[in-house]
Amino acid sequence: VEDDRLVLLALKVASDALEALDAASSEGLEEARAKALTSLGQLLETASEAVGQAIGNFMRKAGGIEVLLDLANDDDRVVHQRALMVLGNLVSDAVDPDSQETKELVLQLGGVERLVPHLKSTDWVTQAYASATVQNIAQD
């Protein structure tokens, strides 16, 4: 019962974050995007297997992976770094046991090609998140 409550709470946070990202998609709302991505990132970093699986499933079905790929190329450094961090967690087997589905979706959406420029970034944090994300995608 406790796991079910945590999953429901996590899904509410993920849903709210995705809604906030959609609402903050226009110029000048970088801080709102960064805040929503931070919420998702913190949730995933502490997620149990059940919570990670539920969030991964939700993000795939709700269009969240597409949103994250778009935000990974946001001009704002904080926004694209946090999007890379969240995406890297969602394609990690350690976070979501069904991450293979997310990896396949990322590949279908041309996600790796969209991440490659970050591997050459002069910002080491961006480079690290992009490298970790690509590494997680490459793992079966």
Side-chain angles (χ1 to χ4, degrees), residues 2-23:
E2 185 65 25
D3 275 352
D4 291 342
R5 286 186 187 144
L6 288 174
V7 167
L8 289 174
L9 179 61
L11 287 173
K12 173 73 171 126
V13 170
S15 177
D16 289 350
L18 195 55
E19 187 176 310
L21 287 171
D22 187 44

Side-chain angles (χ1 to χ4, degrees), residues 2-74:
E2 185 65 25
D3 275 352
D4 291 342
R5 286 186 187 144
L6 288 174
V7 167
L8 289 174
L9 179 61
L11 287 173
K12 173 73 171 126
V13 170
S15 177
D16 289 350
L18 195 55
E19 187 176 310
L21 287 171
D22 187 44
S25 62
S26 60
E27 288 290 321
L29 295 173
E30 292 84 6
E31 189 174 322
R33 289 194 298 273
K35 184 177 178 182
L37 288 165
T38 298
S39 293
L40 273 174
Q42 290 173 340
L43 184 61
L44 289 167
E45 286 178 5
T46 60
S48 66
E49 185 175 286
V51 168
Q53 188 173 32
I55 293 170
N57 187 48
F58 169 77
M59 293 296 283
R60 286 188 298 274
K61 291 183 177 181
I65 304 305
E66 295 91 333
V67 170
L68 290 171
L69 286 170
D70 288 342
L71 291 172
N73 290 305
D74 195 278

Side-chain angles (χ1 to χ4, degrees), residues 52-53 56-57 60 89-90 92-100 102:
Q53 188 173 32
N57 187 48
R60 286 188 298 274
N89 280 322
L90 289 171
S92 169
D93 299 337
V95 174
D96 177 7
D98 295 331
S99 68
Q100 185 62 37
T102 305

Side-chain angles (χ1 to χ4, degrees), residues 58-131:
F58 169 77
M59 293 296 283
R60 286 188 298 274
K61 291 183 177 181
I65 304 305
E66 295 91 333
V67 170
L68 290 171
L69 286 170
D70 288 342
L71 291 172
N73 290 305
D74 195 278
D75 290 336
D76 185 82
R77 178 184 53 83
V78 173
V79 171
H80 70 244
Q81 287 176 352
R82 291 187 185 164
L84 288 166
M85 177 190 64
V86 171
L87 189 60
N89 280 322
L90 289 171
V91 295
S92 169
D93 299 337
V95 174
D96 177 7
D98 295 331
S99 68
Q100 185 62 37
E101 294 176 35
T102 305
K103 294 172 190 180
E104 291 170 6
L105 181 57
V106 168
L107 293 173
Q108 289 171 9
L109 296 169
V112 173
E113 293 82 1
R114 295 162 78 176
L115 300 176
V116 167
H118 291 301
L119 297 173
K120 300 174 186 176
S121 174
T122 57
D123 185 299
W124 71 269
V125 175
T126 298
Q127 202 174 54
Y129 283 134
S131 297

